[in-house]
Amino acid sequence: MKARKIVEEMDSYVPGRSQDEIAADFNLKKEDIIKLGSNENPWGPSPKAMKAIQDEIASINRYPESQLHELVSEIADYSGVKDSQVIIGGDGADEVIDVLAKTFIDNGDEFIVPLPSYMYYEYLLKQYGAKPVYAKWDLDANELDVESIYEAITPKTKMIFLCSPNNPTGTLIEKEVLRDIASKNPDILVVIDEAYFEYSEVTNKDLINEFDNIFIIRTMSKVLGLAGMRIGYGLACEQIIEYMHRIKPVFSLTRLSFVAALNTFRDKDYIRDSIEKGIESRQYLYDEVSKIEGLDVFPSKSNFMLIRVEDTGFTASELALELMKKGIIVRDCTSFKGLDEFWIRISICTLEEDKKFIEILKEVLN
């Protein structure tokens, strides 16, 4: 059976390695492995979410909610927008992006991604016949190269993806830059990925009331501690949301993910605690990594940071392998377009795990 041409041409997405894989490959105990490769919340989910899941298990023989009104209202309240400006995805933010593509992308359209950035945009949109056009981040200045965005725009441009804070650089994009891009290109959808906005304490959600060509992506996989439940959401003007609901699968959120999400948003203490612990861990890691000779670490507004390792004598792959042998998972960024073979990304852990990571990192480098 022959696959579609675009499927034959696409490369597979390269995710971070799991604890089970590392444990099996290096004869380690899974519980001893420290995971700094996937930008997760290391402190676990909300206790209220866990209890809600337990209470709901007996009902999984029934179809889940289809309209999600209760959860939409919680998200709208959390985000400071109207219910009609919210759409929820049941495969994390990935489903939201996929529905966005199904709603607005035609074969032959172009979309812009500044490199390096989150590469899954490209994997999703290329499936619908869209062509990626690359702008760039200025790695020397650690900021978006705004002119490269304008230079990349053509009559075929349908979307511009801007991640803020950007993955993997941790960089924020100034709101005036986003406003300028949207105002000058009213026929192009400016997609702002705010997966990590809680850690930066900066949001651009007010722009959806100024522009009908801005779409904001968010996820419950980071601060909100539900990566395993796969829940994302989007914010935009009412017309965009209404169009997307025509395409979106009706039952994409499971009964368990629905109650987990609902009760997490209602657990304000948990959310506040997750943000505070995350920022504390990020600062500790940045301070300690900055002291290690040969490493160039980027300041970050997210729950991860990018590190250049060229002066250590290791490539990213070599260093990641040596750390894996000792039970430490970091993200080898060699597969990120726009980066060479000398970059790794680390994400926050508990302070105890952070300290063990720093100790082992120094041991490997010395």
Side-chain angles (χ1 to χ4, degrees), residues 335-351:
S335 64
F336 278 72
K337 292 179 180 178
L339 293 177
D340 60 25
E341 69 271 30
F342 297 109
W343 298 90
I344 65 169
R345 190 193 66 201
I346 62 170
S347 56
I348 59 171
C349 281
T350 66
L351 285 178

Side-chain angles (χ1 to χ4, degrees), residues 8-9 14 33-34 50 53 61-62 68 95 106 119 121 176 181 186 194 202 225 268 271 295 326-327 335 356:
E8 291 185 333
E9 293 174 349
V14 182
I33 294 172
I34 298 176
M50 288 190 284
I53 290 170
N61 60 310
R62 303 295 184 186
L68 308 175
E95 184 188 58
D106 286 311
M119 291 309 301
Y121 311 134
E176 285 308 310
I181 293 171
E194 287 193 345
V202 174
K268 308 302 183 188
I271 296 172
L295 297 179
K326 296 180 178 295
S335 64
K356 185 176 178 182

Side-chain angles (χ1 to χ4, degrees), residues 1 5-6 10 63 78 94 109 113 126 165 172 195 207 209 226 246 263 266 330 332 338 357:
M1 184 70 186
K5 184 173 182 290
I6 184 61
M10 286 177 67
Y63 281 109
Y78 179 74
D94 295 346
D109 285 342
V113 181
K126 284 175 71 174
L172 277 171
L207 294 181
N209 294 317
L226 293 177
R246 299 181 190 181
N263 285 276
R266 291 172 176 171
V330 300
D332 171 7
F357 161 66

